[in-house]
Amino acid sequence: MVPGSSSVPPHSGGPAGTGEVLDPAERAEYDRLRTAATLRHRRARRLGATVLLLAALLLAPLAVVAAWVHDTVSDTGRYVETVAPLASDPAVQKVVTDRLTDRVVRQVDVGAVAASLTKVLADAGAPPRVVAGAQALTGPLDTAVRTVVRRNVDRVVTSDLFRQTWEGSNRRAHAAVLRMLTGERHGALRATGDAVELDIGSVVDQVRRRLVDQGFEKAAAIPDSDRTVTLFRTAELARAQDAMRLLDVVGTWLPVLTVALAALAVWTAPGHRVMLLVTALGTGLMMVVLLVALAVVRRVYLDTVPAAALPPEAATAVFDTFVRFLRDSTRTLLVVALITASAAYLHGPGRGAVGLRTGVRRSAGAAGRALGRAGVRIGPVGRRLAARRSVATGVVIGAGALALVLWNHPTVGAVALVLVLVLAVLAAVAVLVAVAAATPAGGSAAPGPAVP
């Protein structure tokens, strides 16, 4: 300090850089304006965070549904995985067996068989009682034919062959429709303009080769032109392809946009922890709303399907099978939201949160002291890790979140597994910190196994 100068800087008590000293009245006015500006800034941040949060919450159910539809429609493997259980469902198998049995029995004219038998007996001079009995065989014959046909159809429908055929036919049909909707030019079924065409080139090649092998040499001259057959033309094909492109964009980017809006809401809010808690609870509430909406849609669907078209048991199996991945994803997000909300609360100043954190610290401290008395000491790597506990905690939590993000369609069980692993690692870190606190840096504790 220069001799003779004031111990208070020239701008002390006033706005920075002005070089002026404020009197008490000016200082009070300055503090009032500064407080008002701070309040306006915080209010603006709250308002912006609220708008972002509302947008994220409103988009959350739509994002989940869009992602599910996108996966089911645009991914053949996912679609086959969705419909595959229907081939093993008893209610669906019963419907298929009944329909196939009726179709086969209708091809057998039991009445004509009974009439022919009656005519043969009458022409052969059989007694009238025998002829009359043959005329009454229509009902028993129909029952016998139906029983035999049903037994054989049921044996096929409940076999592994039916399940394999079901999956293969669904895979081929979905792949063909997907190529048509996306405008791909390879495959048997393709779209050209407003026409849906079937490529029969492979069939032409096989017919030409077989004819030549059978001695029709002139069949080799069959031209390669007209290798496609137009199945139908429709003006809606272009709209369907446009809808497929829109679904591809929405199903991919709407979930990303929703997560980004939620993250911006947490970042913009003055209280990040409180906003994270509110965002998690709001997301959980929207997942509950989506589950309720699925239950309502299920009830409406079952009420509108005629029993003659599809029995209630089969209709229930079809609906539940088709939406099970959507329901599983919704439940998973609900569990993740509740876990996030719990973590945000436990990180705060609430009495329960403080009590739980205190209990955990005491337990970890007791474990660390016990290990220290047992002669356990930590090495330099463990000591550095203990010195950076907050960084280690953040890395562990981030690794758990990344594992869920990279997990292909995580379920509630997967979330529970990751949560248990994260808690176990965090407990190990807490005990490591306690061991470091109980062990002097010089390593004066009794010799024992080292914790790396």
Side-chain angles (χ1 to χ4, degrees), residues 68 72 78-93 166-167 170 294 298 301-302 310 312-329:
W68 169 71
T72 304
R78 187 68 169 174
Y79 172 79
V80 174
E81 186 181 359
T82 299
V83 301
L86 290 176
S88 304
D89 188 271
V92 176
Q93 289 178 344
W166 172 273
E167 294 181 13
N170 275 281
L294 286 176
R298 181 178 186 269
Y301 166 76
L302 295 179
L310 197 62
E313 296 81 4
T316 301
V318 170
F319 183 89
D320 291 341
T321 300
F322 266 97
V323 303
R324 76 183 190 281
F325 286 131
L326 174 59
R327 190 181 288 116
D328 290 345
S329 298

Side-chain angles (χ1 to χ4, degrees), residues 319-390:
F319 183 89
D320 291 341
T321 300
F322 266 97
V323 303
R324 76 183 190 281
F325 286 131
L326 174 59
R327 190 181 288 116
D328 290 345
S329 298
T330 306
R331 290 170 178 169
T332 301
L333 288 176
L334 174 59
V335 172
V336 171
L338 294 178
I339 293 174
T340 304
S342 300
Y345 169 75
L346 293 176
H347 191 67
R351 180 177 300 178
V354 173
L356 181 60
R357 293 201 302 269
T358 302
V360 170
R361 281 196 299 268
R362 289 176 178 174
S363 300
R369 289 189 296 271
L371 291 175
R373 287 192 298 269
V376 176
R377 68 183 188 277
I378 62 173
V381 176
R383 193 173 296 280
R384 284 195 296 270
L385 180 63
R388 296 171 175 81
R389 179 179 181 179
S390 59

Side-chain angles (χ1 to χ4, degrees), residues 243-274:
M244 184 65 190
R245 298 187 189 98
L246 178 62
L247 176 62
D248 186 56
V249 174
V250 172
T252 301
W253 293 107
L254 187 57
V256 176
L257 176 62
T258 304
V259 173
L261 289 175
L264 284 175
V266 174
W267 179 76
T268 303
H272 301 318
R273 184 191 64 83
V274 175

Side-chain angles (χ1 to χ4, degrees), residues 52 92 131 152 155 164 190 244 268 307 335 364 378 407 423:
L52 292 171
V92 176
V131 175
N152 286 275
R155 190 174 301 165
Q164 295 172 3
R190 62 183 62 174
M244 184 65 190
T268 303
V335 172
I378 62 173
W407 199 303
L423 292 178

Side-chain angles (χ1 to χ4, degrees), residues 108-119 138 141:
V108 181
D109 193 347
V110 178
V113 173
S116 298
L117 178 61
T118 301
K119 184 176 183 301
T138 302
L141 280 176

Side-chain angles (χ1 to χ4, degrees), residues 191-214:
T192 304
D194 62 347
V196 177
E197 298 178 344
L198 180 65
D199 186 358
I200 60 172
S202 60
V203 177
V204 173
D205 294 337
Q206 292 181 12
V207 171
R208 182 166 50 192
R209 184 167 55 253
R210 291 190 179 186
L211 289 176
V212 171
D213 293 341
Q214 294 177 7

